[in-house]
Amino acid sequence: MAVSFTRPPYFRFRIEFRCELEIFEPEASSKKTFLNLTRNAMQFPKQFLLTKTPTPEFPGWKTVKYLDWWLAHAPELSLIQVLDERGSTTGLIAGWVIWRGKVLGNGDTIRSKQQSNGIASEYDELCGRFVYFFEYLNQLAVISDAGGLMSPVYSEERNIVASSPAVIRQKGDLKKDERICQAFVGYKSAVWYPFGTTPFQGLRRLLPNHRLTLSNWRADRFFPVPAGEGLRGDPQVNLTAASASIAKWTRANLKALVDAGHNVAHLTGGFDSRMVLAASHDFHRRMRFQTVATSDPGNRLDCHIAERLAKRYGLNYRKIDFITPSKAEIDGWLERTGHCIEDTVSSFCTTARVHNSHCHEITGACGEVMRAAFWFSGDGQRKTLSADALLRRYEIAINETTLELAEQWMATLPAGVSVGNLLDIAYLELRLAGWAGASLYGHDIEHPSLSPFNSARIYRAVLSIPENLREENQIAREFIQSMWPELLHHPVNRPQGLDKLRFLSQEFREMLPTHVRKQIKRLINPWRNPNTSELDRFRS
């Protein structure tokens, strides 16, 4: 199968199991025009658009034709071919991929030994943020990375798959979905859209573990499936062995990033960045660690703990001062994400731009799946879970619309799935895809942050561990124990000694069970003005 690559108007690639490169040298006057067009295209860094006809709206973008569809993408987005054992193209991956100890670059290939329903068996090993296009039943199909950190949106009416509503709007107006927008307002001042919803009519987000087939625009679940893995924890699985495997895979992903020069990691007082630090034990001196300092009391504790860890273990560490964004920069962030998320993360747009590391910064995102972060006490033994209970755990507004959406999503899971596995799958499909997947495009920088945890085999391993052990947060502790046990001597999200007097409110909060903290939030939120936003203080 031939795959044609073009970069209008000066470069053209044609690949038919060989590569031919034609370079067209523009006139001096047109070089100036090209530079201006490139800057205009960079209004949407990291983004892409898949259509049935070529897309001229984004000059400077690269274009690929695959299975009669045209993929236009920003030049910093890597494109990787998936080949079968005969060298034939079976798929294309757009994004940032870590595979077998290497960060893949544009033009790299993955040689797949076999495919199941079009998906390469190597998919479970892949880490990063990406969208995977492949042939399924002689038609083009699409899936996201395992955690939905680059979950695309799609419209059957427009025959479009895209990175965000923002690029679709360049081809025509989108109509706001008032019912959906109202449904997710009112519980918290932050707004994001789970269950595959977006703020626009006829525009859906593709959830991880779902395959979108473009011949009929159906999004079907491919994991977990009836009688397959992932339905419940296995009593025969050894916690120490499973945690050691997770730690080994995480370390390999992290080392691949550092070896490629992406060596800046975020450090906080929490478990997730602590696991990243633990995985870096053998090469942490090649890394740089940082914390953004804000006026938030919780952030002050993050900085305090990070500074203590840095001093104790000789880390190359710096504290970055938060830079207040202008209204224009906040508006630009929201526009690039297609208004699919409005949260405090939006306010870091100026800080990210000014302190751009020009590499993939490493975060602990996705690590929450190892900590039962959204479980309530007893969920490991619970037999059933209602839609109302699911919404409460994920701090989503409860109303007729969200209850209906939650019930529809729960109905896609196979019979026999345990409550614990349902909650961890919800974390991937609802929280990560709806929040992290949407926020990918907000910062006006070329390199997105990457998590060494975002890999299907890591999630599969977590789901295989008995629920009672996951509820007790045993995975994260075993992870650190296997990599850098001394780090367990430092409390997570807690100060030590007399420093506790400086952080009394955080100490009190950590003493409360998760379900109590969330219940307090629900009691307080009805008194909050539903028209206020996390970002209002930056818009005045």
Side-chain angles (χ1 to χ4, degrees):
M1 179 176 298
V3 184
S4 298
F5 295 75
T6 63
R7 180 176 180 173
Y10 309 121
F11 299 86
R12 181 172 292 116
F13 300 80
R14 182 180 293 113
I15 295 182
E16 297 175 344
F17 316 133
R18 64 187 186 277
C19 182
E20 298 174 357
L21 173 64
E22 299 175 64
I23 301 177
F24 298 86
E25 184 66 25
E27 298 294 331
S29 59
S30 61
K31 286 182 180 178
K32 181 177 179 180
T33 303
F34 176 74
L35 292 174
N36 289 334
L37 293 174
T38 300
R39 282 195 292 271
N40 290 338
M42 288 302 293
Q43 293 174 1
F44 301 102
K46 308 182 288 286
Q47 304 217 35
F48 71 89
L49 188 67
L50 183 78
T51 56
K52 288 294 288 184
T53 57
T55 302
E57 287 86 355
F58 301 94
W61 278 24
K62 297 180 180 180
T63 304
V64 181
K65 187 178 183 183
Y66 178 56
L67 294 177
D68 295 324
W69 287 80
W70 292 84
L71 174 66
H73 62 94
E76 63 274 10
L77 200 66
S78 293
L79 200 65
I80 296 141
Q81 284 195 85
V82 181
L83 309 176
D84 63 19
E85 290 191 307
R86 297 170 299 174
S88 300
T89 301
T90 65
L92 297 175
I93 298 179
W96 300 270
V97 178
I98 305 166
W99 183 56
R100 296 184 179 175
K102 180 183 177 183
V103 178
L104 301 186
N106 195 50
D108 281 341
T109 60
I110 294 174
R111 183 78 64 162
S112 174
K113 290 185 177 180
Q114 64 182 42
Q115 301 81 43
S116 176
N117 294 320
I119 302 173
S121 59
E122 291 76 10
Y123 171 79
D124 282 4
E125 300 177 46
L126 304 183
C127 179
R129 305 179 92 148
F130 57 86
V131 179
Y132 180 8
F133 305 94
F134 58 94
E135 187 175 356
Y136 174 66
L137 300 178
N138 298 316
Q139 299 292 332
L140 185 61
V142 187
I143 61 175
S144 75
D145 58 72
L149 298 192
M150 193 173 168
S151 51
V153 296
Y154 62 95
S155 168
E156 177 181 4
E157 178 184 356
R158 296 170 183 252
N159 267 0
I160 282 178
V161 179
S163 49
S164 75
V167 292
I168 297 178
R169 291 174 73 174
Q170 303 306 301
K171 297 182 70 65
D173 290 337
L174 293 171
K175 189 174 182 180
K176 187 177 180 181
D177 191 325
E178 295 290 352
R179 173 175 171 265
I180 291 297
C181 290
Q182 289 301 315
F184 294 104
V185 171
Y187 171 59
K188 296 181 71 176
S189 52
V191 177
W192 51 282
Y193 296 89
F195 304 112
T197 62
T198 74
F200 302 101
Q201 294 181 14
L203 194 62
R204 298 278 301 171
R205 183 173 299 280
L206 179 62
L207 300 181
N209 301 321
H210 289 72
R211 176 187 57 248
L212 177 66
T213 308
L214 302 193
S215 59
N216 57 16
W217 294 94
R218 282 187 52 177
D220 297 314
R221 177 177 292 283
F222 65 85
F223 177 85
V225 296
E229 63 174 343
L231 293 180
R232 56 182 57 251
D234 183 351
Q236 302 303 315
V237 169
N238 179 272
L239 170 67
T240 300
S243 300
S245 293
I246 292 169
K248 180 184 71 174
W249 295 329
T250 302
R251 179 191 181 281
N253 295 333
L254 179 60
K255 188 173 186 298
L257 285 166
V258 174
D259 287 347
H262 308 289
N263 63 346
V264 177
H266 295 196
L267 187 61
T268 69
F271 248 123
D272 304 331
S273 71
R274 192 76 57 89
M275 286 190 285
V276 171
L277 178 58
S280 76
H281 177 269
D282 295 340
F283 47 88
H284 70 276
R285 298 197 183 281
R286 297 168 52 200
M287 296 179 63
R288 296 173 288 160
F289 297 86
Q290 64 186 34
T291 313
V292 177
T294 71
S295 59
D296 178 75
N299 175 264
R300 287 194 297 108
L301 180 58
D302 278 333
C303 292
H304 170 76
I305 295 173
E307 287 175 326
R308 287 182 65 92
L309 288 170
K311 183 178 180 180
R312 170 64 181 81
Y313 297 104
L315 307 181
N316 182 355
Y317 173 79
R318 68 169 180 167
K319 188 165 61 174
I320 297 173
D321 288 331
F322 173 79
I323 301 175
T324 302
S326 66
K327 179 181 182 298
E329 290 202 83
I330 288 287
D331 290 343
W333 196 99
L334 296 174
E335 174 62 26
R336 286 188 292 275
T337 61
H339 295 269
C340 288
I341 176 172
E342 187 165 326
D343 197 352
T344 51
V345 66
S346 317
S347 67
F348 286 82
C349 54
T350 307
T351 306
R353 177 179 57 78
V354 172
H355 294 289
N356 186 357
S357 299
H358 300 286
C359 68
H360 295 296
E361 294 185 0
I362 300 162
T363 75
C366 314
E368 288 174 315
V369 76
M370 285 182 264
R371 299 189 290 104
F374 292 88
W375 296 25
F376 284 0
S377 178
D379 281 347
Q381 291 75 43
R382 205 177 302 278
K383 301 300 182 183
T384 60
L385 193 75
S386 67
D388 179 282
L390 175 67
L391 296 174
R392 289 182 184 279
R393 282 155 177 75
Y394 280 90
E395 301 183 344
I396 299 171
I398 300 175
N399 52 58
E400 182 179 344
T401 299
T402 59
L403 285 168
E404 179 184 350
L405 290 168
E407 289 168 354
Q408 290 173 353
W409 177 81
M410 294 170 76
T412 69
L413 292 167
V417 67
S418 69
V419 169
N421 280 25
L422 181 153
L423 289 172
D424 284 344
I425 293 168
Y427 170 73
L428 304 178
E429 298 186 10
L430 309 184
R431 179 66 181 181
L432 284 183
W435 191 92
S439 64
L440 164 62
Y441 306 104
H443 295 335
D444 191 13
I445 56 179
E446 293 187 0
H447 293 86
S449 63
L450 295 180
S451 166
F453 302 123
N454 189 36
S455 175
R457 65 179 174 182
I458 289 177
Y459 300 141
R460 308 282 197 269
V462 169
L463 295 174
S464 75
I465 295 172
E467 286 81 353
N468 63 308
L469 299 178
R470 281 144 62 193
E471 183 176 358
E472 295 168 1
N473 194 18
Q474 291 297 313
I475 303 176
R477 297 184 189 281
E478 288 284 345
F479 181 110
I480 295 173
Q481 178 67 38
S482 69
M483 289 277 142
W484 199 340
E486 291 82 4
L487 293 179
L488 291 174
H489 299 159
H490 306 271
V492 171
N493 287 327
R494 306 285 288 271
Q496 293 178 284
L498 293 176
D499 287 329
K500 292 182 179 181
L501 298 176
R502 297 171 52 195
F503 301 98
L504 288 176
S505 62
Q506 284 80 11
E507 277 291 287
F508 177 71
R509 180 182 184 278
E510 290 298 323
M511 291 170 59
L512 297 175
T514 301
H515 71 279
V516 174
R517 295 201 298 265
K518 292 187 176 182
Q519 185 59 32
I520 291 173
K521 287 182 182 180
R522 287 198 178 270
L523 291 172
I524 294 173
N525 275 313
W527 299 94
R528 183 183 62 80
N529 183 349
N531 296 316
T532 61
S533 163
E534 294 270 5
L535 305 177
D536 283 348
R537 65 184 184 277
F538 302 112
R539 290 170 167 152
S540 58

